[in-house]
Amino acid sequence: MVIRILVIILFVLGLLGSSRASNVPAVFIFGDSLVDVGNNFYLLTSARPVYPNGIDFGNGDHHPSGRYTNNRTGFVINMNQQIRNFENTTKQIISMIGVSAAQNLLRESLYVVVIGSNDILWDPLPEFDIPAQTVYVETLISTFTNQLNRLYSLNARKIVVTNCPKIGCIPYEKDAHPLVGEGCYTPANDLAQLYNSQLKVILPELTENLSGSTYVYADIYMAIQTIVDNYVSYGFEYPDSACCHLLGVHGALIPCITISKVCPNRSEYVFWDAYHPTEATNLIVANYFMDGGSNFISPINIRQLLNS
């Protein structure tokens, strides 16, 4: 799986207020560019979020934040390597505070895993080869299950896992497949739904089989779909176009780069670039996951998880 490492939950922590959940000792976040805090900018990769990424972050004129969004976020550290990095971090924590205290800290911390989008977006198989697609998704889920088990073995207990967004409706897919018109690219959405349906099954099984654990399913597919379907009521004007744009009907045929044009009011756009939401969208999703009902996050929301 091609994935990257830290979005939404950083916003979420700001929503905790006076709740007892504000005592969460740490937040460990694994995933792709939806939640990258700037690691990509310092890696030897072509996927470097140059300015105007981070245009609203307050780093000074033309200084990128290293994040794929206009402000805060949320090729290439894969998930297995991220877990190895985390294991090294746990060893450092143990060396500083001892085994018992480290175990308590790790088990009371929040873990957020945001992966899957790249595996669906860049699926290498023929789009209408359903048997091959099914095997592909089953392989992804099997690999991911092993990775989640590995996190548990490293004392992760409160784990939020997001599903795959509605990939077929992002600006890139709409520009890459112009025949969809005002609609979305159905094959990508079908594959995302197949992945999501299997993910939703394995998380309760992990919770049941791994003592003391709670795996929470965060439905970012539904969250983004709700925003796009009701964009006017959320204060947006552009539900399917990239704010940072250069070429394409939806401005998404070329990634956000230095010569791209940037919309003057980022809060009017659901999407920052060809693939990633704006901060305004991320904040709405954060609220869904923090205090939302089972239509967005199940079996409990993040506030309930942290207070459990």
Side-chain angles (χ1 to χ4, degrees), residues 158-231:
K158 300 179 179 183
I159 306 169
V160 177
V161 181
T162 66
N163 64 5
C164 180
K166 198 171 184 178
I167 293 293
C169 298
I170 64 174
Y172 168 78
E173 288 284 39
K174 297 185 71 133
D175 272 352
H177 304 92
L179 293 181
V180 303
E182 294 301 312
C184 299
Y185 185 55
T186 301
N189 286 341
D190 289 345
L191 192 60
Q193 289 178 317
L194 178 61
Y195 172 87
N196 293 345
S197 65
Q198 295 191 25
L199 178 65
K200 195 168 186 177
V201 170
I202 68 160
L203 296 183
E205 293 177 349
L206 287 169
T207 298
E208 181 178 354
N209 295 329
L210 300 176
S211 177
S213 71
T214 303
Y215 287 82
V216 173
Y217 179 80
D219 196 341
I220 199 167
Y221 187 105
M222 177 60 69
I224 299 296
Q225 177 178 318
T226 299
I227 294 170
V228 170
D229 289 348
N230 304 280
Y231 69 95

Side-chain angles (χ1 to χ4, degrees), residues 27-103:
V27 181
F28 298 98
I29 305 188
F30 304 80
D32 55 28
S33 59
L34 289 173
V35 288
D36 180 36
V37 289
N39 297 287
N40 266 30
F41 194 73
Y42 299 96
L43 298 175
L44 295 176
T45 170
S46 60
R48 298 178 73 246
V50 297
Y51 189 89
N53 286 287
I55 190 172
D56 298 319
F57 193 65
N59 284 342
D61 188 34
H62 291 5
H63 187 78
S65 66
R67 299 159 174 85
Y68 280 104
T69 186
N70 57 301
N71 201 327
R72 302 162 289 177
T73 42
F75 185 54
V76 245
I77 301 177
N78 64 45
M79 185 62 178
N80 286 328
Q81 184 59 52
Q82 290 183 43
I83 294 174
R84 286 192 289 269
N85 291 347
F86 173 65
E87 183 174 13
N88 291 333
T89 298
T90 64
K91 292 176 181 178
Q92 294 172 1
I93 295 172
I94 290 171
S95 69
M96 290 187 293
I97 64 176
V99 173
S100 179
Q103 185 180 78

Side-chain angles (χ1 to χ4, degrees), residues 219-292:
D219 196 341
I220 199 167
Y221 187 105
M222 177 60 69
I224 299 296
Q225 177 178 318
T226 299
I227 294 170
V228 170
D229 289 348
N230 304 280
Y231 69 95
V232 173
S233 64
Y234 284 100
F236 295 107
E237 293 190 26
Y238 306 96
D240 56 4
S241 294
C243 167
C244 184
H245 61 282
L246 186 59
L247 184 65
V249 174
H250 299 89
L253 287 179
I254 295 177
C256 182
I257 57 178
T258 304
I259 62 172
S260 296
K261 300 176 182 178
V262 179
C263 63
N265 189 347
R266 269 71 75 181
S267 65
E268 295 179 349
Y269 284 72
V270 172
F271 291 97
W272 160 245
D273 62 8
Y275 314 99
H276 306 93
T278 57
E279 185 188 35
T281 303
N282 284 335
L283 285 169
I284 296 170
V285 175
N287 276 285
Y288 288 160
F289 292 169
M290 189 67 211
D291 292 304

